[in-house]
Amino acid sequence: MPEGHSVHRIARQFDRNFVGRAVTASSPQGRFAEGAAILSGRTATEVRAVGKQMFLEFDDDLWLRVHLGMYGAWDFAGEILVDPTIASANGRMGQTNQRGTDLADPILDAAGENSLTSIGAPRRARVHVRMSEQTTGLADEGDEWPPPIVGQVRLRLLTEATCADLRGPTACELQTPDEVAATIAKLGPDPLVDDVAEGEERFTSVVRRKPTSIGLLLMDQNVVSGIGNVYRAELLFRARQNPHTPGRDVPEEVVRGLWRDWVRLLAIGVETGQMMTMDDLDPDAYRRAMASRDDRHWVYHRAGLPCRICGTSIVVEEAAGRKLYWCPSCQA
Ligand SMILES: [Zn+2]
């Protein structure tokens, strides 16, 4: 499932490539045909990401709300402008596009987690094709424009130069400004949207009065925005916190520490495109970790493997229908 860092990256991509431009909208699959017809021809004016949801504003106070859910993803094609401040961390500079003329050896994840062109639920097969185009600088001058429709595209947004295809979202709908405000008001604080100190107070006060386990509270988008299964497991391990402790019994300093760590990890995630949750890696270990998920997490997806700190087998269990990974010794 795409976590908060992906949605913020998607919003930044929309900011660079769509805001200020006239957009042609369509729903090749048909399930958003009415909405697409209303959007088409308007200019995108603003984009916001809050937690796992993106809000794209068009002329006349019309907003598009997209929640990718478990399986959603955006695929970008054509001109893809890269933010140099973000790109520098990955060795990318300036402007580039799908042909990859300008990529200075970015460390791309083998599973496509930080793909430049597909953000959301990883789709191995298709992402691999794209990534090889990027890394080999394959010439594709003869490619069709707009790109052919592949699969179930709920919404296609097209400018003169850039194409964004949305597949498999949980929510894709038009909202009024009041509806957007009401949606956002229900969400817990997001470190990249809300004042960080205020967010810490809100998060701490809610967690500290709940009987629900801290493992479930971290995933509750009304408590804190943007944390999914990977960040949940890793944040709790980094805090050496038992996931089953009721929120109200977690010491206040630990709760505040979880928020501050989320602020840190989210910033790294947005910058690198990956849920990098390990600190103080030497350059070789950092490259390995950026290239492969198996080398960048403490406990996530490590069931049965020895804990990197104490050697105890990492445990996996079901919690509210999602897999929860933790070390029963470090997080006793
Ligand atoms: Zn351990």
Side-chain angles (χ1 to χ4, degrees), residues 142-166:
D143 271 6
E144 236 178 288
W145 186 263
I149 305 287
V150 178
Q152 296 288 312
V153 177
R154 181 79 57 88
L155 172 63
R156 165 169 281 194
L157 297 175
L158 194 64
T159 69
E160 281 185 0
T162 307
C163 178
D165 284 343
L166 172 65

Side-chain angles (χ1 to χ4, degrees), residues 37-76:
I38 295 170
L39 287 182
S40 201
R42 293 173 193 261
T43 298
T45 50
E46 190 192 339
V47 63
R48 301 173 69 180
V50 184
K52 297 178 175 179
Q53 307 195 45
M54 185 183 81
F55 304 86
L56 182 59
E57 188 193 33
F58 291 84
D59 295 335
D60 306 323
D61 293 334
L62 190 61
W63 289 82
L64 170 71
R65 177 179 82 96
V66 173
H67 191 322
L68 292 178
M70 293 284 280
Y71 306 109
W74 283 100
D75 283 279
F76 295 93

Side-chain angles (χ1 to χ4, degrees), residues 206-273:
V206 171
V207 168
R208 294 270 298 151
R209 57 170 195 262
K210 295 267 188 189
T212 315
S213 73
I214 185 66
L216 292 181
L217 289 174
L218 288 184
M219 297 274 277
D220 182 343
Q221 301 301 303
N222 300 325
V223 173
V224 56
S225 280
I227 297 176
N229 219 17
V230 179
Y231 279 129
R232 181 257 302 264
E234 297 290 295
L235 284 164
L236 288 169
F237 180 85
R238 287 162 62 94
R240 304 295 188 268
Q241 173 61 49
N242 187 311
H244 297 298
T245 306
R248 63 186 174 202
D249 295 338
V250 179
E252 181 175 334
E253 272 320 291
V254 175
V255 178
R256 292 184 181 278
L258 285 167
W259 167 262
R260 290 173 196 167
D261 205 25
W262 173 226
V263 173
R264 242 183 330 262
L265 293 185
L266 178 60
I268 294 168
V270 172
E271 185 181 286
T272 65

Side-chain angles (χ1 to χ4, degrees), residues 237 240 299 306-314 326-331:
F237 180 85
R240 304 295 188 268
V299 292
C307 172
R308 296 184 194 275
I309 299 293
C310 74
T312 304
S313 285
I314 300 301
W326 62 295
C327 173
S329 168
C330 291
Q331 298 170 259

Side-chain angles (χ1 to χ4, degrees), residues 1 70 82 96 271 276:
M1 173 176 220
M70 293 284 280
V82 176
T96 186
E271 185 181 286
M276 171 63 80

Side-chain angles (χ1 to χ4, degrees), residues 196-206 252 256 259:
V196 170
E198 274 171 35
E200 180 176 323
E201 297 308 319
R202 270 172 72 196
F203 173 71
T204 305
S205 69
V206 171
E252 181 175 334
R256 292 184 181 278
W259 167 262

